[in-house]
C-alpha cells in the first residue's frame, strides 16, 4: 500500500512539474510570436514612412515603380542592387558609388539632386526610404 501511494505521489509530482514546464514553453512561444508581430508592424511602419518620404522628397519625379522616367524604375534599381549586393543607404549617404546608372553625366546630376534631397534625412529615414523601395515588387 505504501509503495502504491509512493508511486502515485511520484506520478503526481511528475505530472505537476511537467505541467509547469509546458506552461513555460507556451509562454516562451507566445512571447516569440508577439515579438515577431511587433517586428512585422515596425517593418510595415518603416515602409509607410519610406513611401511618404519618397513622395515628399520628390523621388517620384525621376523614379516610378515600373517605368523609366528620368531615372531607372524602382524595380530596375531593386534588381541591380540585389544582383550586385549593393547598399542603397550607403549610396544615398554618398558612401558608395552608383551601380545602376553609371554614366558620368547622369551620376553628376543624380548626386546633385541627392545632396539636396537627402542631406537633412536621418539614417533611420534613409533606411525607411530603402525599405520602401525594396518593397516595390
Amino acid at each position: 500500500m505504501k509503495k502504491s501511494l509512493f508511486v502515485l505521489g511520484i506520478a503526481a509530482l511528475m505530472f505537476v512539474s511537467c505541467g509547469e514546464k509546458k506552461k513555460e514553453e507556451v509562454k516562451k512561444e507566445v512571447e516569440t510570436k508577439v515579438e515577431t508581430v511587433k517586428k512585422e508592424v515596425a517593418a510595415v511602419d518603416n515602409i509607410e514612412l519610406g513611401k511618404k518620404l519618397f513622395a515628399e522628397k520628390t523621388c517620384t519625379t525621376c523614379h516610378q515603380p515600373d517605368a523609366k522616367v528620368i531615372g531607372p524604375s524602382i524595380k530596375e534599381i531593386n534588381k541591380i542592387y540585389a544582383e550586385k549586393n549593393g547598399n542603397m543607404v550607403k549610396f544615398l549617404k554618398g558612401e558608395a558609388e552608383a551601380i545602376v546608372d553609371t554614366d558620368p553625366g547622369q551620376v553628376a546630376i543624380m548626386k546633385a539632386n541627392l545632396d539636396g534631397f537627402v542631406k537633412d534625412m536621418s539614417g533611420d529615414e534613409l533606411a525607411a526610404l530603402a525599405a520602401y523601395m525594396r518593397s516595390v515588387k
Side-chain angles (χ1 to χ4, degrees), residues 78-87 98-100 102:
N78 286 337
K79 178 182 171 211
I80 292 171
Y81 268 85
E83 288 171 355
K84 296 186 178 187
N85 199 24
N87 185 317
I99 61 173
V100 178
T102 58

Side-chain angles (χ1 to χ4, degrees), residues 39-97:
K39 287 178 184 176
E40 289 171 357
V41 167
V44 168
D45 289 346
N46 206 28
I47 289 169
E48 286 302 314
L49 172 60
K51 184 177 183 177
K52 178 181 173 204
L53 290 167
F54 196 82
E56 286 177 358
K57 298 296 181 178
T58 67
C59 302
T60 54
T61 303
C62 296
H63 305 285
Q64 294 294 311
D66 295 319
K68 178 178 175 65
V69 182
I70 295 170
S73 71
I74 298 171
K75 289 181 179 181
E76 182 68 15
I77 293 169
N78 286 337
K79 178 182 171 211
I80 292 171
Y81 268 85
E83 288 171 355
K84 296 186 178 187
N85 199 24
N87 185 317
M88 272 187 230
V89 174
K90 283 187 175 184
F91 171 72
L92 293 171
K93 287 181 176 180
E95 298 172 357
E97 294 298 316

